[in-house]
Amino acid sequence: MKEMPKRRKIARPGEILAAALAEFEAKGFADTTFADIAKRAGIARATIYLYFDSKDRIFDALTRRILTDPLEEMGQALDAYDGTSEALLERFLTHLHSEASEAETILLLRILVSEGRRFPDLVRLHHARINDSGLSLLQRIIRRGIDRGEFAPEIADLDLRVVIAPAIMALFWQMIFASIAPLDREAMLRSHLDLVLRSLRPVPAFAPSGMG
Amino acid sequence: MKEMPKRRKIARPGEILAAALAEFEAKGFADTTFADIAKRAGIARATIYLYFDSKDRIFDALTRRILTDPLEEMGQALDAYDGTSEALLERFLTHLHSEASEAETILLLRILVSEGRRFPDLVRLHHARINDSGLSLLQRIIRRGIDRGEFAPEIADLDLRVVIAPAIMALFWQMIFASIAPLDREAMLRSHLDLVLRSLRPVPAFAPSGMG
DNA sequence: GTCTTTAATGACACGGATGTCAGTAACGTC
DNA sequence: GACGTTACTGACATCCGTGTCATTAAAGAC
């Protein structure tokens, strides 16, 4: 009669999801059992079945919580923006890095990698998200820069995934090596901006019209 | 009495590993059982225990087969090389992309992501490999380029991981999205080289020594 | 306060993967 | 071709995670 963890709520599902998230982070998706989640949530294993049929369902519900789209506002602000395109791109990439370093993003991606074939719709969703929210916005920024003469026109047909690649790499680096060699986010962002901006800037032409 | 798959060999371990590799690729590491491997190898499940104590051991043995170091020869050839540093870097990155697109590399990385915490020594090994074979070689190439005036001196303190990032990104892209949106290796490599080489090239100075 | 509803639980049956072991069949040896 | 050795196997015992169900206890209705 020590503890009396019995209560009833509509908040139960949320508690279960929180516990599941913690367990997934601690032991990975595959190795987490209903018993683990129940224990962490302080409830009986059978209780989970009241709310979720399977681990997959739990994961589904979790992703819906994590997946928000913070890039949207940036897309809408873009038209009104009147600073340099470099500054704009810098904001974009900075945002990307900060999103990439969030624990939830990393967890989601980790499960996507290891369990991807079991969640084909989640894969599709992510793909669409990267293309629509991420790359198309970047495309607009690049085009704006070229139009305003701030970026070199030659880079117009670059595959833009290479531009965001360092942020993606940072994400996976953290995912794999965080325990033995965590990376310096700030330094990585600076190197990223350095590399990209140097590359995008137009090459200053020697006297635009001829040398005599 | 249809089939008589009984024979005895020293080649058995190899057959088991091949079957395991195939199964890991087909269903993932966590979802592959000894029964699956045995079935594919055409032997009894118990036979596997003659050679491997656990799935982890199988994976250990597998990684040892996969992990070779093809970059080494390049490192040794570097000193004798007398072409441009751009060409050298191009060779380096091309090699990286081709290695990154090999099925075994992808499989290994996938398991590293999903099961990484259970193979800490493998994580360490990989980290060392990336640093020693990969980044330090790249460092030498970059330094050579700077010394010879082919690369801009400003990029000396760049975190070189951003330089290889597009290849890493391509790897993970394939790992996750291969089924719905496989990427064009050639095009990706070209964009990668474009981005990086544009960035590394020194900005042409207006008349090195004065304009008067 | 009694009754009804429903959240929550412990216990049970089931299935599937693991690891072991005694038995069997192939191979080498003489 | 008989014998010993060794690779191999099917069967057994065990463990663990899953899903269900009857029972219990808390909350709401009146």
Side-chain angles (χ1 to χ4, degrees), chain B residues 4 6 8 33-34 45-46 49 53:
Chain B
M4 188 76 149
K6 311 179 177 179
R8 65 187 60 192
T33 70
F34 268 51
R45 188 173 59 85
Y49 288 92
D53 288 345

Side-chain angles (χ1 to χ4, degrees), chain A residues 132-194:
Chain A
D132 299 346
S133 310
L135 292 176
S136 77
L137 177 55
L138 177 57
Q139 179 67 56
R140 287 172 60 200
I141 296 175
I142 298 289
R143 178 148 305 280
R144 178 181 188 271
I146 294 176
D147 289 347
R148 293 167 45 123
E150 296 168 305
F151 294 152
E154 304 96 283
I155 53 102
D157 48 359
L158 208 62
D159 186 321
L160 293 184
R161 283 173 290 191
V162 302
V163 174
I164 62 169
I168 309 295
M169 189 222 58
L171 197 165
F172 283 104
W173 183 278
Q174 284 294 81
M175 188 182 292
I176 297 175
F177 299 123
S179 54
I180 64 175
L183 53 73
D184 181 345
R185 289 218 302 117
E186 276 307 314
M188 185 56 67
L189 173 60
R190 251 180 289 119
S191 281
H192 185 177
L193 291 173
D194 228 41

Side-chain angles (χ1 to χ4, degrees), chain A residues 2-212:
Chain A
K2 224 173 190 173
E3 8 187 359
M4 187 75 149
K6 312 179 179 180
R7 56 208 151 121
R8 67 187 59 192
K9 273 207 244 165
I10 326 170
R12 236 332 107 75
E15 296 172 16
I16 295 173
L17 288 181
L21 180 74
E23 285 299 314
F24 290 163
E25 266 166 1
K27 327 208 279 198
F29 183 78
D31 290 337
T32 295
T33 70
F34 268 50
D36 296 328
I37 300 173
K39 192 173 180 184
R40 173 161 322 228
I43 57 178
R45 189 173 58 83
T47 304
I48 301 179
Y49 287 93
L50 273 294
Y51 301 98
F52 302 100
D53 288 345
S54 65
K55 212 161 54 164
D56 286 15
R57 287 297 174 82
I58 294 180
F59 182 64
D60 276 350
L62 257 185
T63 57
R64 236 157 267 182
R65 296 219 161 181
I66 296 175
L67 276 180
T68 54
D69 206 337
L71 281 177
E72 211 164 297
E73 54 191 81
M74 183 176 284
Q76 277 155 14
L78 187 143
D79 292 326
Y81 192 79
D82 64 346
T84 67
S85 295
E86 284 210 5
L88 198 55
L89 181 59
E90 197 166 319
R91 271 184 57 194
F92 176 82
L93 292 180
T94 302
H95 179 85
L96 218 59
H97 272 264
S98 85
E99 193 182 355
S101 65
E102 275 168 29
E104 279 149 354
T105 305
I106 293 177
L107 175 67
L108 183 65
L109 254 291
R110 166 173 269 135
I111 299 180
L112 208 60
V113 166
S114 52
E115 231 82 14
R117 66 190 72 229
R118 296 177 60 202
F119 303 103
D121 43 343
L122 182 66
V123 171
R124 231 178 300 277
L125 189 72
H126 235 78
H127 181 251
R129 185 163 177 264
I130 291 173
N131 278 327
D132 299 346
S133 310
L135 292 176
S136 77
L137 177 55
L138 177 57
Q139 179 67 56
R140 287 172 60 200
I141 296 175
I142 298 289
R143 178 148 305 280
R144 178 181 188 271
I146 294 176
D147 289 347
R148 293 167 45 123
E150 296 168 305
F151 294 152
E154 304 96 283
I155 53 102
D157 48 359
L158 208 62
D159 186 321
L160 293 184
R161 283 173 290 191
V162 302
V163 174
I164 62 169
I168 309 295
M169 189 222 58
L171 197 165
F172 283 104
W173 183 278
Q174 284 294 81
M175 188 182 292
I176 297 175
F177 299 123
S179 54
I180 64 175
L183 53 73
D184 181 345
R185 289 218 302 117
E186 276 307 314
M188 185 56 67
L189 173 60
R190 251 180 289 119
S191 281
H192 185 177
L193 291 173
D194 228 41
L195 178 86
V196 168
L197 292 179
R198 284 182 58 86
S199 187
L200 295 191
R201 283 198 266 266
V203 179
F206 278 87
S209 60
M211 29 90 87

